[in-house]
Amino acid sequence: MEQLTAEFGGAGQVGVGVGPVLEKFDAVSRIVVLRGGGLGDLIFAIPAMAALKAAYPEATITLLGTPIHKALLAALKSPVDEVVVLPFAEGVRPGEEDAEELERFFAQMRSRNFDLAVQVHGGGRYSNPFLLRLGARHTVGTRTPDAASLERTIPYLYYQNEPLRALEVAGFAGAFPVDLEARLSPADCGAATEAANSEAGQPLVVIHPGATDPRRRWPAEKFAELAAACAADGSRVITVGDSSEQELAEGIAERAASPGVRSVAGALDMAGLVSLLAEADVVVANDSGPRHLAQALGVPTVGIFWAGNVINAGALGRSLHRVHASWVTTCPTCGIDVTQVGWTAPRCAHDDSVVATIGVPEVYEDVLSLTATTFAKQDA
């Protein structure tokens, strides 16, 4: 006799995807997905939303996300039908809360009469109560032991590949995986950037030197050394970043001291970034949104990762995506254990790079390998 656990919400298991795939919900025409954060956070959720779209093809998918999500999805073809920007709310979208604005938001969302609400925004301490206030008929998501329970819940354990975690959640909503990783394409496939086209015929290497957490950043001097080596080998090298990373990216281009290296950081809108990444032959970056976006666009990448982040955010394959992992486990300054995260251990005040030990020659070797592979395919 089949045993139905409380976490299954009384549903039976109909198959296996990343985890159990449970029975679909009846009469689902409106789905809302909660996923705040940055570019990478959104891209991690794309496979789950593609699975939901395949399981409920007549349903619309509304993403509750951030302004950067709205801008990105406007430049892409994706399974998302609509993006609604989240209000500021603790643990969901950082910023000063406005109680009246929050109440208006929830009233508007309840009036939409969502059939299914899916939470892929962390452990649920803040996101599950937020999701429950949407008033959907059915709720699915992850939870830590101290988080509010949803109709169907999956234990949240920090070290898990994020796209696969979201797919496991989608499975609890009755959706089998379509793709294990995000697959996206520009909304305007004919768009091309002036930056990329200026010297066509040479390999284009795009470098993103930033990362939200400064500890995940490879030293600027190593990016500059890599950029200079790529340019000397005949590649065009462009550094990218948002306005907050402009000084960093421009400094790398200047330090490389080569006419083949230049920065467009702060000069591209989201559509321009998508177009540039889509035209690249290789993207080299830290564990950051632009690297995840490049991978989703089908562009080969070389990633600089701290070992723990490889578990959560590293590419699954290695033919097109190379990973260089640092195995540092303690802060270089104070020695505190950095393998623990937020709620289980305090973060020290130091921002020392934990990926600084990764060498330039091995990264450069992978760039050469991937550009050669790309151009061999183009010439064939």
Side-chain angles (χ1 to χ4, degrees):
M1 181 175 181
E2 184 177 21
Q3 183 180 17
L4 304 180
T5 67
E7 289 76 13
F8 281 24
Q13 182 175 338
V14 298
V16 177
V18 172
V21 176
L22 306 186
E23 296 169 314
K24 289 170 57 176
F25 296 107
D26 294 330
V28 171
S29 61
R30 292 173 294 275
I31 300 172
V32 62
V33 176
L34 173 60
R35 175 68 266 191
L39 288 183
D41 299 305
L42 168 61
I43 292 165
F44 296 153
I46 291 292
M49 291 189 281
L52 290 167
K53 195 71 168 179
Y56 301 98
E58 302 304 317
T60 58
I61 294 182
T62 297
L63 171 68
L64 302 185
T66 59
I68 198 169
H69 295 170
K70 191 177 183 72
L72 177 62
L73 290 179
L76 294 168
K77 298 174 183 177
S78 81
V80 178
D81 296 291
E82 173 194 26
V83 180
V84 173
V85 174
L86 288 159
F88 296 123
E90 185 178 7
V92 173
R93 185 183 171 206
E96 186 175 348
E97 288 190 17
D98 182 319
E100 291 184 359
E101 181 186 2
L102 275 170
E103 190 48 54
R104 284 194 298 271
F105 171 81
F106 286 117
Q108 291 170 357
M109 292 300 101
R110 287 190 293 268
S111 72
R112 305 280 290 272
N113 296 315
F114 290 114
D115 300 300
L116 171 60
V118 179
Q119 187 275 105
V120 286
H121 183 91
R125 181 180 298 166
Y126 299 102
S127 49
N128 283 1
F130 190 99
L131 195 83
L132 290 167
R133 289 185 68 180
L134 302 175
R137 287 195 298 118
H138 300 290
T139 56
V140 180
T142 51
R143 68 182 292 262
T144 52
D146 63 343
S149 187
L150 305 175
E151 182 177 351
R152 299 179 185 177
T153 54
I154 294 168
Y156 181 90
L157 302 172
Y158 179 75
Y159 284 117
Q160 180 181 5
N161 178 272
E162 291 292 348
L164 299 188
R165 188 201 308 278
L167 278 171
E168 193 170 3
V169 172
F172 268 47
F176 286 89
V178 175
D179 284 312
L180 297 180
E181 295 176 302
R183 301 191 189 282
L184 298 166
S185 59
D188 182 1
C189 295
T193 62
E194 180 182 350
N197 282 340
S198 58
E199 297 175 38
Q202 299 170 274
L204 172 60
V205 177
V206 174
I207 290 177
H208 178 242
T212 304
D213 187 336
R215 296 175 299 176
R216 299 202 311 261
R217 296 177 191 162
W218 206 32
E221 60 269 21
K222 293 198 171 186
F223 272 119
E225 183 181 342
L226 175 70
C230 291
D233 204 50
S235 293
R236 296 167 293 142
V237 182
I238 297 178
T239 60
V240 299
D242 61 24
S243 57
S244 70
E245 299 163 331
Q246 186 171 347
E247 183 177 352
L248 172 63
E250 290 178 350
I252 288 168
E254 290 172 7
R255 191 185 298 229
S258 168
V261 182
R262 57 199 183 99
S263 172
V264 296
L268 299 177
D269 60 11
M270 192 59 68
L273 177 63
V274 167
S275 294
L276 177 61
L277 293 178
E279 293 160 10
D281 294 290
V282 178
V283 171
V284 185
N286 303 308
D287 173 20
S288 66
R291 196 218 66 83
H292 301 303
L293 176 56
Q295 178 185 330
L297 291 167
V299 177
T301 68
V302 180
I304 311 294
F305 283 85
W306 173 64
N309 296 132
V310 175
I311 299 171
N312 289 60
L316 298 178
R318 292 294 176 267
S319 55
L320 294 179
H321 306 290
R322 309 295 167 79
V323 170
H324 293 270
S326 163
W327 297 93
V328 170
T329 60
T330 58
C331 171
T333 297
C334 69
I336 194 172
D337 183 1
V338 297
T339 66
Q340 302 304 304
V341 292
W343 61 91
T344 59
R347 184 213 194 283
C348 68
H350 307 114
D351 287 335
D352 308 64
S353 171
V354 295
V355 297
T357 57
I358 294 171
V360 174
E362 51 262 44
V363 175
Y364 176 56
E365 183 179 346
D366 274 339
V367 174
L368 286 183
S369 171
L370 290 171
T371 54
T373 301
T374 301
F375 268 73
K377 288 180 180 177
Q378 290 177 354
D379 294 340

